[in-house]
Amino acid sequence: MKRKMPVLILLFFCFCQKYIYAQTPFFKQTFIARENGSLGVNTMIIDKDRFLWIGTQEGLYKYNGRSSSIYFLNKKNISQDVSAVFEDSHGEIWAGFRFGDIAILKDSILKPAPLKGLLPTKAITAITEDHLGRIWLTTAGDGVFYIYHNTLFRISSENGLTDDYTYAIAEDRFGRMWIGTDQGISICAVDSNGVKIIKINAEKGIPDEIARDIKADMNGNMWIGLQEKGVCIINSSTLQITIPEWSTNWEKGQVNELILNEKEIWIATDDEGLFTGLYHTENELHNYKSFDDLKFPEIKKMLVDAENNLWLGNKSGLIQSHGNWMMFLNEINNQKLNFVHAVFIDAENNLYFTPDQGLIKIPIYKKDFKLKKYTITPAKDLCDIVSMYEDECGYIWIGTMGMGLYRLNTTTGVQQKIASADLDKASILSIAGNNNELWLATLGGVVRCILPDDCNTDKIEIQIRKLDSVPELGNYYIYTVFVDSKDRVWFGTDKKGITCYDKNKYHNFNTDNGLLSNSVYSITEDLNGNIWFSEAGEGICKFNGKTFHNYGSKDGLREMTVTSIRAIGADRIMLVHKRGIDILHTQSGKIDYYGVKNNLADVNPDLNVIAFDHGGKIWVGTEKGLVIFNPALNSNPAGPKTVLQRVSLFDQKKNFISQKEFNYNQNYIAFDFAGIWFTDPGRIQYQYMLDGYNKEWINTADNHIIYPNLPPGNYVFKVRTSLSRSFTIADETTYSFVIKKPFWTETWFRAMVLLLLFAGGGLYISAHDQRLKRMEALKKESIEYRFETLKSQVNPHFLFNSFNTLISIIEKDQHIAVEYVEKLSDYFRNMIQHRDKETIILEDEIEMVSTYYYLQKKRFGNYLELDVRLSKEVLKLYKVPPLSLQLLIENAVKHNMISRETPLKVEIFQSADETITVRNNINVKLNKEVSTGIGLMNITNRYKILSKGQVLIFSDLNSFSVTVPLIK
């Protein structure tokens, strides 16, 4: 572990320096819609489900940490520039727009709010809700509006408002609305008697009349962000105005937004970036203008989410930060800090830490301080400092890696190397003490030192005893030593487990007693007296004095080799390892993970890198500098929140999440859900189960699940979210629903059917005779139809004409005559084949029509034309009664003249869905043949039997048509 320190850095630290370091939060750019982050942020809120809603110039975005959805105002020719957004007590999202439009999100659509009264025409600057449920709107020039029973009521300068240009609004503890305007503050109270307004302006003592933001704190004070004079505080009871000391000579520009977060205040400005501090003290504010290459100009909006992340919105996009609960100290005077091997806080709240081969002291909370650098080992033998301890006289004991033990007077800088053969070249990994004893954990075993009663001297004589004869300790590789609240001394050993020295006795615990590893790296104690320690490769373990409880990957630990642990109060344990920092919530079992996404990648810590200062902050040394945690500012429960966003049915856009019953055919159900954890959204994992369908949890990284064809029954959809593979304590949400049975399977329906059967039985008997008679009539119709068809085909005129045609063809072309005879034969064969069938395929009927047309074509030549316009799909999919179309064509030939002067054209085409029409032009014969009408009547009666469709007959002076239904 020895390293040579660069000469420039060594010389730099050899003397005192003044205020040359700064703790900085971690900031990162977050892209909600575009990869280049150029989408500007106007406004934003966090809703009750922890989603982030962001108003931009291009619409309203809903962001869950990994993806976003955009919503546009459902109104034509309207700007989508969202200037204000708010969630009311009913969970509805309101949006205000740059040109005065007001919208509410309904069914995933931003719809104009259904409001009566005079609507604003200027930009909506803020939206809020009072304790009576009334929605209030501030505008940039139209004054203030409030909504009561869906009606807008306006308060303007005509009613006594200080100015119609309003910026911000907040309710005080008396139910009055404080409104920031261009001419001071108006305090509005609305009741049945009208509007009462109290004005606070320059005459009342406000330092700047342009009030851009207003926030109420827990003590009844109203904090006012001003245009030029910083911040002032107004007591809501007395209206007394006070100015914080840090705001007395404010020259930091326009205040755009204030956040009062527990003990902190955050101030967003136009020109100077971000300011923060503890608002109950008079300390100066810290200013952050940038982080690495990320700049903070014109911060328009800020908020703090449920995880205590800080969000900043400006024209460049969205910026996310841990805020003051996790800070970084990774450089001093522009020199990077590397390889911090040990961290220690003394009784006077001075911070000691050991960057590579050095020791630095910083007074933590002093406003004006000097940093000190100590050189411990000789320049020719520089080595790493890996452990520290403060004795009762304020001296710091320093353990080195390979150069023994030193004692330092931090005031004078005088140091003493403890001379001993057992310690001269020792590597001292850990130091602990109680009373006048000092315990050293070294790579050569345990060393016990007895200090003199008078320790207030730069030169001290001590008794040194190496405990190489204690079998419970072994004689090498003691990683850590710890003294608990009962003055028991605990040793973490290599290969011998953990050993406790209590009342002059040693007690050893190892894998035979419940440990999972015999190598222990770090030890701590919580406020409940439990001893915690980390085991090499096996996670961590809790010892309550009787039993051991191990925590591993099954409990959510992401790293099984934890280098250093410390208890935070009674219910949290900090774990530091190579992949970052985790915090275990011992009561709930949940774990906060901080790694790559939190600027904690590859921190590679040593053993003694955690220290608590007297203000409650935790200082952690890493390979890349110091990390500072403030547990008081990050005390919320750990873990993501699980939200069921949408329940949808197949091919329907509506959200059915409020519906609990579905019909039997509404059984294609999809669920959309999300786990909200902005700190590290990439770690989110899901498990889901549909109780009533399956009994096992299913792991997934997807947030969209589909269940097709669910059978009728009662179901409970369950989904839970975790940051690790362990889901035993994950946040879970459920959705219960019922898919109803088909009505014909219900008892009431079956009973009704039985009643109908009994009633129908009687009717059946009485109607039986009538049915028989009707069947006989239908049978007669069928026989008559077939007879008429047959008769028409063996009509002597048809045969006579056919034979005459054949004779004329034989004289001209014997080859064609043979073809004609074959066609005539096919015609009669098909007629005999199909005439006894109820229906035939339309394609077969058209084939008979074509044969008949061929025979007639040879007789009439080009003066007879048949035009068939039917698709292949229709020919194959539908049926007709046999010989029905052929009979209609024959009627056309029979009743019309056919000659050069009077050609006959017959058309067959699909006239509508599932109907076909036969149409011909009319050439009236001079000597009309008598028509019996039996053919058409039989066709009509046949269709009454076979189809619900009707036969339609149409005739005028020019054409005659018959439309018949097609049968599938």
Side-chain angles (χ1 to χ4, degrees), residues 528-656:
N528 295 320
N530 299 304
I531 303 299
W532 295 76
F533 49 91
S534 61
E535 305 172 274
E538 297 293 345
I540 64 173
C541 186
K542 179 181 75 172
F543 180 56
N544 62 9
K546 296 181 180 179
T547 59
F548 294 92
H549 179 79
N550 295 282
Y551 294 81
S553 58
K554 62 179 177 56
D555 303 290
L557 264 64
R558 60 171 170 157
E559 177 59 50
M560 297 300 289
T561 297
V562 178
T563 308
S564 189
I565 65 174
R566 282 292 296 270
I568 307 174
D571 60 351
R572 285 188 283 179
I573 304 293
M574 175 176 281
L575 320 177
V576 184
H577 48 78
K578 64 181 181 182
R579 296 172 61 187
I581 299 173
D582 299 338
I583 296 179
L584 168 65
H585 296 250
T586 59
Q587 292 184 357
S588 67
K590 294 182 179 181
I591 302 176
D592 297 331
Y593 303 94
Y594 306 106
V596 175
K597 297 294 185 180
N598 313 101
N599 201 32
L600 291 175
D602 302 322
V603 293
N604 298 319
D606 284 345
L607 296 178
N608 303 294
V609 292
I610 307 177
F612 284 72
D613 67 31
H614 305 330
K617 291 182 180 179
I618 306 171
W619 298 73
V620 181
T622 75
E623 187 177 288
K624 299 178 180 180
L626 288 163
V627 182
I628 305 101
F629 275 83
N630 192 337
L633 301 179
N634 189 29
S635 57
N636 289 318
K641 179 179 176 61
T642 308
V643 181
L644 181 63
Q645 294 181 267
R646 185 178 181 84
V647 178
S648 54
L649 302 181
F650 178 73
D651 201 28
Q652 294 193 37
K653 295 182 179 180
K654 179 182 175 182
N655 190 352
F656 291 86

Side-chain angles (χ1 to χ4, degrees), residues 366-492:
K366 291 183 179 180
K367 184 176 179 180
D368 189 13
F369 66 87
K370 292 183 179 180
L371 176 148
K372 290 185 178 181
K373 164 68 172 68
Y374 303 94
T375 301
I376 302 303
T377 55
K380 63 182 182 66
D381 295 317
L382 285 177
C383 66
D384 293 327
I385 295 171
V386 293
S387 57
M388 286 176 280
Y389 171 76
E390 183 180 18
D391 63 25
E392 294 180 353
C393 295
Y395 285 80
I396 303 298
W397 294 77
I398 299 168
T400 67
M401 199 66 184
M403 290 296 293
L405 180 66
Y406 291 81
R407 184 170 181 262
L408 173 67
N409 184 329
T410 60
T411 302
T412 63
V414 175
Q415 61 187 46
Q416 172 190 3
K417 180 174 182 179
I418 305 303
S420 168
D422 293 323
L423 295 178
D424 188 39
K425 297 294 183 180
S427 294
I428 302 170
L429 303 184
S430 178
I431 308 173
N434 61 336
N435 301 322
N436 65 336
E437 292 180 323
L438 204 64
W439 299 86
L440 312 178
T442 78
L443 293 182
V446 175
V447 176
R448 182 181 184 183
C449 304
I450 307 299
L451 307 183
D453 293 336
D454 183 12
C455 63
N456 195 14
T457 175
D458 288 347
K459 296 294 182 180
I460 192 173
E461 297 292 333
I462 61 174
Q463 301 178 29
I464 299 174
R465 177 188 172 194
K466 188 176 182 183
L467 305 179
D468 52 5
S469 61
V470 179
E472 290 84 358
L473 294 173
N475 56 5
Y476 64 96
Y477 277 57
I478 306 298
Y479 291 115
T480 186
V481 58
F482 176 78
V483 179
D484 68 15
S485 59
K486 299 178 182 178
D487 282 338
R488 297 176 298 185
V489 185
W490 297 80
F491 304 93

Side-chain angles (χ1 to χ4, degrees), residues 246-292:
W246 43 260
S247 185
T248 302
N249 298 309
W250 185 269
E251 295 181 354
K252 301 172 178 66
Q254 173 180 301
V255 173
N256 290 328
E257 178 88 10
L258 295 171
I259 289 181
L260 307 177
N261 183 34
E262 295 187 5
K263 300 178 181 179
E264 295 178 298
I265 183 171
W266 292 88
I267 304 173
T269 71
D270 245 10
D271 304 324
E272 298 296 324
L274 189 65
F275 292 86
T276 183
L278 299 176
Y279 64 81
H280 289 306
T281 69
E282 298 302 326
N283 291 343
E284 289 187 358
L285 299 178
H286 297 287
N287 179 218
Y288 307 118
K289 294 183 179 180
S290 63
F291 181 82
D292 291 340

Side-chain angles (χ1 to χ4, degrees), residues 126 135 183 200 262 401 586 640 686 850 936 965:
I135 301 297
Q183 297 294 324
I200 301 179
E262 295 187 5
M401 199 66 184
T586 59
Y686 302 103
S850 298
L936 287 176

